Every structure is written in structure tokens, then in C-alpha cells.
Amino acid sequence: MNDLEAFLVQHLPVDVPDKGRVSSAALEQLWSELFPDDNYSSRRGREAFLKAVQTTATGSSGQEQLEFRPGGWEVNLGKGLAQTVVATALLGGILVMLGTAGLPAAVLTAVIPLLFDVSRTRLTDSQDYVLAELVVNPAVLKGELTTDQLYESLSAETRRSITRLEFRDFLDAFRRAGLADHKSDDRVILRPADQARFRITFR
């Protein structure tokens, strides 16, 4: 199980990891939690996401495996497979949302695992230490400090251990881990390690 699949275990209903049953309602809820803006791009991405799960469920055997109910459908993907299927479909939906038009659901589910190595950004011990030192300051949590001000707010001992340039790398690692948002005026909002936001970075 990769890190995106592990993330989905925490955010999909509890019966999904154990039974492999996935409903369209649960998937729509997951999408709306990750992407709350209900605009045209988000709706296109959600439709591609749902269609990709449907294609995976019905495409391999050619037989209909969806159980339709009032308000949507449910499919049994089998234990251990649900997270992989949903993770692949989710990436496909995100690509469509970002403007990659014309990708059939079958292509999304087949090609995405070959194109992307999905992993979670993890902080090193030293990055964890610096983040913990910073987020005790309420001004840091509110995004009131610039990059330089954040560096100056560190203890003298910590500043002796890392240069300003290294500190900027730390902030970039925080951003990729979903723990920092950079504003246009060089101010930075930081979050404690247990409040990371879901973030996908394409390299």
C-alpha cells in the first residue's frame, strides 16, 4: 500500500478497507472534502474520478458489477483492492480538474500507475524539530511572519545549526508536506505536524 492509499484508508468509510465496498456517495463526499470549491473544473474532475472507478469495476470482466441504489451506486472491489483503485481514479480526476481534457476513464486507470510514483512527503527529524519550535508562536499559525521573520524567531541555538538558505529548503519541505502555505507577500502560514493538508505536487 502506498502513501496515497494509506491516506484513503483514513478518509473513506470504515467498511471500505475491510470489505472493499465503495459507493458513489462515499466517493463524492471524499472529493468534496479534498476539493470544496464546486466550480466547473472540480465537477469535471469529480465526474472523471467516479467514471474511472466504474470503469475499473466493470471493465475487466465485461459484466456489470455495480449495485444501483437510490442516489447512486455501490461496487465490491474486493479486500485490499479498493484503495488502489480509488487512488488511481483520484489522480485521474485531479488531472482532468487541472485541465487535461479528453482522457477516457479506461486510459486514466491503465496509464496513471505507469506515469506517477505516488509518495508522501515526510519530514526529517531536524525538520520536525524546527517545525515544532516554530508553531508554538501564534503569529506563525496566523501567517503574520515573513520568511526572514520566521528564521529570526528561531532560537539562537537552532539558527546556529541551519543557514537562511537551508531554512528556505525547510519551508519548501513543509509546503510539500501540506504543512505550509506561502503568501504572495512572502508571509508563510505554518501548521502543526498533525494538521497537514492533502497536497499533490507534480515534478
Side-chain angles (χ1 to χ4, degrees), residues 122-135 154-155 157-159 161-163 166-167 169-171 173-174 179 190 193:
R122 289 185 171 86
L123 301 184
T124 64
D125 289 343
S126 58
Q127 290 167 344
D128 269 327
Y129 179 86
V130 170
L131 178 66
E133 183 176 329
L134 288 168
V135 296
L154 293 170
S155 67
E157 181 181 356
T158 302
R159 289 199 308 273
S161 301
I162 58 173
T163 67
E166 290 170 335
F167 181 68
D169 290 337
F170 276 43
L171 292 180
F174 298 158
L179 296 166
L190 293 179

Side-chain angles (χ1 to χ4, degrees), residues 5 28 33 45 147 172 178 198:
E5 292 165 25
E28 289 182 11
E33 288 176 359
T147 300
D172 186 57
F198 180 74

Side-chain angles (χ1 to χ4, degrees), residues 70-81:
W73 47 261
E74 185 176 86
V75 61
N76 189 350
L77 294 168
K79 288 179 64 174
L81 183 61

